[in-house]
Amino acid sequence: MTDSDEAIKVGSRRFPSVALHMVGLALVFTGGGMFLSALVDVISGGHAFWALVGSGIITVGAGELIRRSTRVPGDLPPRAVFAAVSVSWIVTSFFGVLPYMLSGLLPAFDGALFESISGFTCTGSSVFSAEDFEVASSGVLFWRQLTQWFGGMGIIVLAVAVLPFLGVGGLELIQAEAPGPTSDRLAPRVSETARRLWIVYLGFTVISALALLATGIGWFDSTGLALALVSTGGFAPEAASIGAYDSVTVEVILIIGMVIGGSSFTLLYNALRGKPGLYFRNSEFRYYVGGMALAVTAVTILLAANGSGVGESLRMAAFNVATLGTSTGFGNTTGTGSPGDFTFWVPAAQVILFMFMWVGGMTGSTSGGMKVLRAQVMGRVAWRELRRAERPRAVLPIKAGREVVDERVVGRIAGFVLLYVAIVVVAGLVLTMLGSDLITGFTGAVSAMGNMGPALGEAGPASSFAVYSLPERMTLAALMIVGRLEVFPMVLTLVVATRWVSRKFSVARHPLR
Amino acid sequence: MRAYGRTRLRTDSAPLENLSTRPRLESAELNLGGLSIAICGGGLLISAAVDLTGSGQDAPALGAVGAAALLLGLVIRSRVRLPEHVSPRTSLRTVGVSLLAMITVSVVAYRATGAIVRPGEALMESTSGFTTTAVTVLDDPQRLGSGVLFWRAMTQWIGGFAALATVIAILPFLGVSGPTASKVRVPVRRSQMSAPRMNRLLGRYVFLYLFLTIVGVLLYLVGGMGPFDAITYSFTTISTGGFANHSGSFTFFDSPLLEWMGVAGMFLGGLSLAVVWSALRGRTRALLGTAELFVYCGLIVGATAVLAMVESPGADFASNVRISAFTATSAVSSTGHWVANWAAWAPGPQMMLLILIGVGAMSGSVGGGFRIVRAMTLFSFLARELDVQLRPGLVQVVRVGDEVIDDRLMRRILGYQVLYLGTAAAGFFALAVTGTDLLTALSGSVSALSTFGPALGELGVGQPVSNLGRGALVILMVLMFAGRVELYPLLDGIRAAIGWPMRRIRSWWAARGTGLRSSR
């Protein structure tokens, strides 16, 4: 990027808009991903080379055009940051439909858009049918996996990592995009932090891919799975998801990968630098792993008590708790009603999975959901309220681990959780009003908001999201983006936009003022 | 530190020199528990008298249990003194103990009359009654004698009053759910209310509650009910209870006028008594300043409109509106009377009703649920947080209506919200463990916690609850109890029950190897 100096030159004739500039950058990167998919298509003998190259040219062209005609303005108010993140994600998702549509796999725009959004937000809900997987060219399938990989760490984090001139407001942009209430700095410079995050991410992907390759599932599947694994995405290159391999080894590797993917990347970075002990010194990690271990035990007992073998119960419980506890969303079903199809489990086990759909993984990870730290803090808030019975006048600080959490941060977390719950409930109401039954609609909303993938009811791991009607799917897709960006950017962009419109509107109404 | 504080408190409240001059035991739990038993005894005696006007077959049993309860209650009260100062924890325990005592008396009464023989079912009916929930084990209440029916309605009426007393007793705990008119007046910094103020409030509440009950009776008499039905239905409506003398609830009467009367009665039941007080005294400005009142009415009207348009439960426009209004009012006020089986409706209206049931009625009312004012406070808080995100460093207060919510109060409401959601989630899980399907478990948990009653799936209206297993019934009872006493007494009891052995284990662990253990 030789023109970085030009971008900040005073008096530049470029349009000052961080939102548009980010859109341009994001499109250039995703377009690059399309070219990569085209390469994969050629190597594996697919038939969608030209479709992918065409998509890439359109996307990169549009991105470059937008990027070159805009610049990052000198100051970045919060609303500009939120708008930049929201708009770039939406626009990227729209361009992400090109490979599906141009290759003729998903000719309908809505289906392609759902798939694209589900991919970029790392949700993993799919409208693909079993036949789609058969006729799909490998390049398009690779693109599908790659969208998750891009979305996992975040396109803007990538942009900040590669383009150091974004140092202005870079931290704000990362914080607005990255999951979790706090994002640790790994280095004094923001761009260095972003770069290290991406290096860790890349390294983690390569290691997972190699581990999966060793199980003998082929280079294409292992690469594809690794891309969806480290991003806790949940798409799989096979129609039956992980059930297609029906292999304990693959599942164990995936469980380990998912648990790491759902934990903080700061911890992973430190572990790679020789300090793995930090994992267990982190209270959030202890809750995260402890909660899952407890749930696996409970689900195993519930399943075994209802007639499955203990070994199989443990396998199903561990895989499915891990897949929902990290918001990945792989399924290890071998068909509707098979042991891995948790919509056929006893209700109590389903409720346990449902709770995990709310919480998701750790802060600073690629996972979705409300995050363990927030649940931890809210639990403390409730506990404090109960303790007042004993000590009505005590001033009790909220702690996470050994650190006292500032009341303003507690307030922000409480606000987040409230907004999250409110949006899920309203979305559940919308979905049921549109006609899905209560359990499918409500759990579907929870699942989409938490970027999980499968839900309960009719939208289980063995069925596709085609069970939802078109308006329902669009609602879910909107929820996915809202959830992936951690609610605030989208909601605040909407709030600002509404205020702007209402201001215009009121002026139009009272021309004399 | 902890041990020191406790000892000091104990010597403060019961100085040694006082022990010799006041021989009687001092306990708020026992004293007020005795009072509750005595009130139930009185209620049973009235029921016996009512029974005499009918068949009179249950009168001896009702009278005997009533007299025994009255006597027992009075004896306890004469032996146990009410302490001058009550710690918050004690008042929580008092609330729990009193409710349990009343439930016990009622179980004995049901069994003595032979109306409900199985102890589990008698317990369910009593718990449901005193918690003003409309879950019944009787598939045909009409087979009961008039005395027992009267008592059944009375359990809800007493339960409603107990709920009001609860609100006053543990007011400092409730944050904004106390008696509010336009103002959210809560003594945040004080841990308890002065006794005279408490008595004055209680007296006012008794008056208002009686007044509303009489209004209810008149409404039903005008609507065409007989005197017996009018009184019992008024009991179960004004208390937002929902028990009916007939298996078909309001469908039995098949009278549009009566259904509208029911709507009016339930609306009154879900009103804050402070609002009623302002209305009676003609304080229009205070009424208009009550933001919660507007939301309460808005929820009912809005839900009625949506139900009438989306579900269209009736045959024509008038019946559409009537059935929708009845169902919406029943849900928002957490009553549980019904004129249509909403378990058979479309999922959207069901979801909406579940949300309304969860939110519940106005604060300071007999109704249950999370309470509207708390939900409003949370929304206001959320708006503030969004503004702070846009303008970091912004200092702005949280408002409900005209009232500023103190930050400390706000934190407590946030805590309460988590406790409420957590209890509902725990109930959902526990019901699922007993083997009910997801829909029944989810809706049953929300409904029982809001002391509404009917739910979806196996808990739909008109389905005898005894179809569910024993475990499910126990969990429903716990949820109803938790919802009626505003969570705190139950959760604090659980915390104390877990905390005591935990402390013992911890002290044992700390003392291990130091030689202190052997000396104890």
Side-chain angles (χ1 to χ4, degrees):
Chain A
M1 299 299 148
T2 50
D3 52 1
S4 59
D5 295 329
E6 194 186 330
I8 50 173
K9 203 192 286 171
V10 181
S12 163
R13 285 205 310 215
R14 295 172 166 198
F15 184 65
S17 162
V18 67
L20 287 178
H21 200 76
M22 282 297 134
V23 167
L25 281 174
L27 288 183
V28 172
F29 282 110
T30 41
M34 290 173 193
F35 287 128
L36 186 65
S37 307
L39 193 66
V40 170
D41 199 64
V42 168
I43 294 171
S44 59
H47 49 76
F49 176 76
W50 289 112
L52 286 163
V53 168
S55 318
I57 290 172
I58 296 173
T59 311
V60 172
E64 201 54 21
L65 192 70
I66 297 172
R67 196 183 67 79
R68 279 178 182 276
S69 53
T70 56
R71 65 184 166 89
V72 179
D75 66 328
L76 282 184
R79 61 167 192 276
V81 172
F82 292 131
V85 174
S86 308
V87 172
S88 62
W89 271 75
I90 294 172
V91 175
T92 311
S93 301
F94 271 89
F95 275 88
V97 305
L98 288 175
Y100 300 120
M101 290 181 73
L102 293 186
S103 70
L105 185 60
L106 293 174
F109 175 69
D110 62 275
L113 184 63
F114 183 87
E115 202 71 12
S116 171
I117 290 180
S118 175
F120 278 114
T121 58
C122 298
T123 307
S125 309
S126 180
V127 291
F128 271 32
S129 62
E131 300 87 69
D132 287 339
F133 279 98
E134 277 165 28
V135 299
S137 174
S138 48
V140 179
L141 284 181
F142 187 81
W143 164 248
R144 185 163 166 266
Q145 301 301 108
L146 201 59
T147 52
Q148 301 215 312
W149 195 70
F150 274 130
M153 188 52 86
I155 307 159
I156 289 174
V157 178
L158 179 60
V160 175
V162 177
L163 307 171
F165 74 87
L166 272 173
V168 190
L171 185 65
E172 283 79 7
L173 282 167
I174 289 184
Q175 276 176 343
E177 190 188 40
T182 57
S183 74
D184 302 305
R185 286 186 179 200
L186 301 181
R189 282 179 62 100
V190 181
S191 53
E192 186 59 29
T193 302
R195 188 171 303 149
R196 285 181 191 177
L197 279 176
W198 263 92
I199 288 170
V200 171
Y201 191 58
L202 191 66
F204 182 26
T205 313
V206 172
I207 294 169
S208 321
L210 290 177
L212 285 168
L213 190 61
T215 63
I217 58 171
W219 72 268
F220 182 77
D221 277 14
S222 54
T223 315
L225 276 186
L227 291 176
L229 172 69
V230 297
S231 61
T232 66
F235 277 156
E238 300 284 342
S241 193
I242 311 304
Y245 313 112
D246 200 13
S247 144
V248 179
T249 328
V250 172
E251 284 176 25
V252 168
I253 292 173
L254 288 178
I255 289 173
I256 296 170
M258 287 190 285
V259 171
I260 296 174
S263 62
S264 159
F265 272 72
T266 313
L267 292 177
L268 182 60
Y269 175 76
N270 283 319
L272 292 179
R273 291 190 37 160
K275 286 183 267 181
L278 287 182
Y279 265 115
F280 280 93
R281 253 187 270 163
N282 184 304
S283 79
E284 189 188 5
F285 184 77
R286 291 199 299 265
Y287 273 103
Y288 166 71
V289 170
M292 280 203 276
L294 201 68
V296 169
T297 317
V299 173
T300 307
I301 292 171
L302 282 168
L303 291 184
N306 282 279
S308 316
V310 176
E312 190 182 66
S313 301
L314 181 64
R315 177 181 163 192
M316 295 305 157
F319 188 83
N320 286 294
V321 167
T323 198
L324 292 179
T326 62
S327 89
T328 309
F330 287 135
N332 66 346
T333 61
T334 47
T336 308
S338 68
D341 185 357
F342 51 71
T343 53
F344 284 81
W345 290 2
V346 281
Q350 296 191 39
V351 176
I352 293 178
L353 294 183
F354 178 64
M355 303 292 173
F356 277 93
M357 285 188 198
W358 280 97
V359 178
M362 280 177 73
T363 53
S365 72
T366 55
S367 66
M370 285 196 303
K371 306 290 176 308
V372 178
L373 183 65
R374 292 206 182 89
Q376 204 180 328
V377 168
M378 290 316 281
R380 291 276 169 179
V381 170
W383 185 244
R384 169 167 75 179
E385 177 62 10
L386 266 189
R387 283 188 66 183
R388 287 185 49 254
E390 211 169 4
R391 292 146 183 250
R393 291 170 195 213
V395 176
L396 304 164
I398 299 288
K399 286 184 181 176
R402 287 188 186 155
E403 277 176 49
V404 172
V405 184
D406 184 75
E407 280 302 327
R408 269 175 306 178
V409 177
V410 173
R412 207 158 61 220
I413 290 175
F416 174 89
V417 171
L418 239 141
L419 192 59
Y420 193 96
V421 173
I423 289 178
V424 167
V425 169
V426 170
L429 182 60
V430 169
L431 286 170
T432 48
M433 282 287 180
L434 289 172
S436 51
D437 73 274
L438 209 138
I439 293 298
T440 310
F442 186 49
T443 59
V446 176
S447 168
M449 187 77 167
N451 302 147
M452 296 290 150
L456 302 178
E458 289 169 29
S463 57
S464 102
F465 265 51
V467 297
Y468 292 102
S469 68
L470 175 61
E472 286 167 4
R473 260 181 279 144
M474 290 299 113
T475 313
L476 288 171
L479 272 185
M480 287 172 196
I481 296 192
V482 172
R484 170 59 185 82
L485 296 181
E486 300 245 298
V487 187
F488 279 131
M490 287 296 278
V491 171
L492 288 170
T493 308
L494 256 175
V495 167
V496 171
T498 320
R499 281 184 190 164
W500 185 79
V501 168
S502 72
R503 218 168 29 237
K504 290 275 166 192
F505 186 61
S506 64
V507 168
R509 265 196 145 169
H510 308 284
L512 293 180
R513 257 189 218 167
Chain B
M1 189 67 191
R2 181 170 281 198
Y4 169 72
R6 183 156 302 162
T7 336
R8 198 168 53 91
L9 271 181
R10 207 168 274 168
T11 44
D12 261 7
S13 59
L16 275 176
E17 56 269 26
N18 277 3
L19 280 178
S20 53
T21 52
R22 294 187 194 172
R24 285 194 295 163
L25 197 62
E26 191 176 68
S27 157
E29 294 97 322
L30 285 177
N31 183 297
L32 292 175
L35 179 64
S36 313
I37 294 176
I39 290 174
C40 285
L44 281 167
L45 288 177
I46 297 173
S47 307
V50 169
D51 201 52
L52 285 176
T53 65
S55 65
Q57 54 171 7
D58 296 323
L62 286 172
V65 176
L70 189 62
L71 202 65
L72 177 69
L74 291 178
V75 166
I76 293 176
R77 260 181 79 80
S78 70
R79 295 278 159 195
V80 184
R81 198 157 41 83
L82 195 63
E84 276 172 28
H85 295 287
V86 180
S87 76
R89 194 166 219 181
T90 313
S91 51
L92 294 185
R93 222 180 294 150
T94 307
V95 166
V97 166
S98 307
L99 198 54
L100 285 178
M102 294 197 287
I103 290 171
T104 315
V105 173
S106 175
V107 169
V108 174
Y110 280 133
R111 295 209 64 197
T113 56
I116 304 170
V117 185
R118 293 164 72 182
E121 294 193 344
L123 186 62
M124 185 71 199
E125 196 73 6
S126 307
T127 311
S128 179
F130 282 109
T131 58
T132 71
T133 315
V135 175
T136 180
V137 297
L138 301 167
D139 37 5
D140 184 19
Q142 269 162 297
R143 69 178 169 79
L144 300 181
S146 55
V148 178
L149 272 184
F150 192 81
W151 170 245
R152 185 163 163 267
M154 201 155 197
T155 55
Q156 296 210 313
W157 193 70
I158 297 175
F161 182 70
L164 290 175
T166 302
V167 167
I168 297 174
I170 57 176
L171 179 63
F173 267 93
L174 297 179
V176 285
S177 178
T180 61
S182 69
K183 297 185 188 305
V184 189
R185 262 184 279 107
V186 181
V188 183
R189 274 169 195 84
R190 275 184 296 162
S191 55
Q192 46 197 311
M193 206 194 284
S194 65
R197 187 168 166 221
M198 219 164 181
N199 282 339
R200 202 170 60 238
L201 261 179
L202 206 58
R204 193 181 291 173
Y205 271 30
V206 173
F207 166 74
L208 289 170
Y209 194 51
L210 279 171
F211 170 77
L212 287 181
T213 310
I214 292 167
V215 171
V217 173
L218 292 177
L219 282 175
Y220 287 142
L221 281 176
V222 170
M225 278 188 192
F228 178 79
D229 276 348
I231 294 173
T232 46
Y233 272 93
S234 173
F235 278 178
T236 61
T237 306
I238 296 302
S239 64
T240 70
F243 274 166
N245 295 344
H246 310 91
S247 53
S249 192
F250 269 66
T251 57
F252 170 82
F253 300 104
D254 197 21
S255 149
L257 179 61
L258 256 183
E259 287 172 18
W260 280 115
M261 292 301 179
V263 172
M266 291 189 289
F267 176 79
L268 289 177
L271 271 183
S272 159
L273 288 187
V275 162
V276 179
W277 180 248
S278 305
L280 283 183
R281 302 192 62 177
R283 291 183 189 153
T284 355
R285 187 179 284 179
L287 277 182
L288 290 178
T290 313
E292 193 189 8
L293 181 62
F294 284 100
V295 177
Y296 177 66
C297 298
L299 282 180
I300 292 178
V301 173
T304 304
V306 171
L307 286 181
M309 282 188 292
V310 175
E311 182 59 37
S312 309
D316 51 58
F317 179 74
S319 65
N320 254 342
V321 173
R322 192 179 66 245
I323 295 174
S324 304
F326 196 97
T327 312
T329 317
S330 182
V332 175
S333 66
S334 81
T335 307
H337 283 311
W338 51 272
V339 290
N341 181 10
W342 60 289
W345 288 4
Q350 289 180 346
M351 181 83 186
M352 190 186 73
L353 286 172
L354 264 188
I355 295 171
L356 290 178
I357 291 168
V359 172
M362 282 179 78
S363 65
S365 77
V366 201
F370 186 69
R371 302 309 164 91
I372 292 169
V373 87
R374 284 205 189 97
M376 288 166 65
T377 316
L378 290 179
F379 271 107
S380 177
F381 169 76
L382 192 55
R384 200 253 315 246
E385 286 302 314
L386 287 179
D387 271 341
V388 170
Q389 290 274 318
L390 282 179
R391 276 174 284 174
L394 179 77
V395 177
Q396 194 179 316
V397 292
V398 177
R399 282 170 191 279
V400 172
D402 306 332
E403 206 63 21
V404 174
I405 305 284
D406 181 270
D407 261 0
R408 294 173 55 166
L409 184 54
M410 196 60 239
R411 277 176 223 159
R412 281 164 37 188
I413 296 172
L414 289 173
Y416 186 82
Q417 169 227 355
V418 181
L419 289 177
Y420 201 86
L421 287 177
T423 312
F428 178 30
F429 176 61
L431 280 174
V433 168
T434 65
T436 56
D437 63 284
L438 287 177
L439 187 64
T440 310
L442 179 66
S443 60
S445 172
V446 171
S447 179
L449 191 59
S450 298
T451 70
F452 178 70
L456 302 172
E458 293 172 57
L459 274 166
V461 293
Q463 303 229 44
V465 73
S466 31
N467 285 356
L468 296 173
R470 195 175 290 169
L473 293 193
V474 170
I475 287 151
L476 284 178
M477 281 193 265
V478 172
L479 284 171
M480 292 174 198
F481 188 87
R484 189 68 282 179
V485 296
E486 310 261 339
L487 300 187
Y488 291 104
L490 182 81
L491 293 181
D492 189 59
I494 292 175
R495 192 170 106 74
I498 297 171
W500 187 78
M502 287 298 281
R503 269 202 301 279
R504 293 307 296 251
I505 291 170
R506 216 176 279 163
S507 67
W508 171 80
W509 183 255
R512 134 203 78 102
T514 58
L516 287 173
R517 189 157 35 122
S518 53
S519 67
R520 247 194 257 168

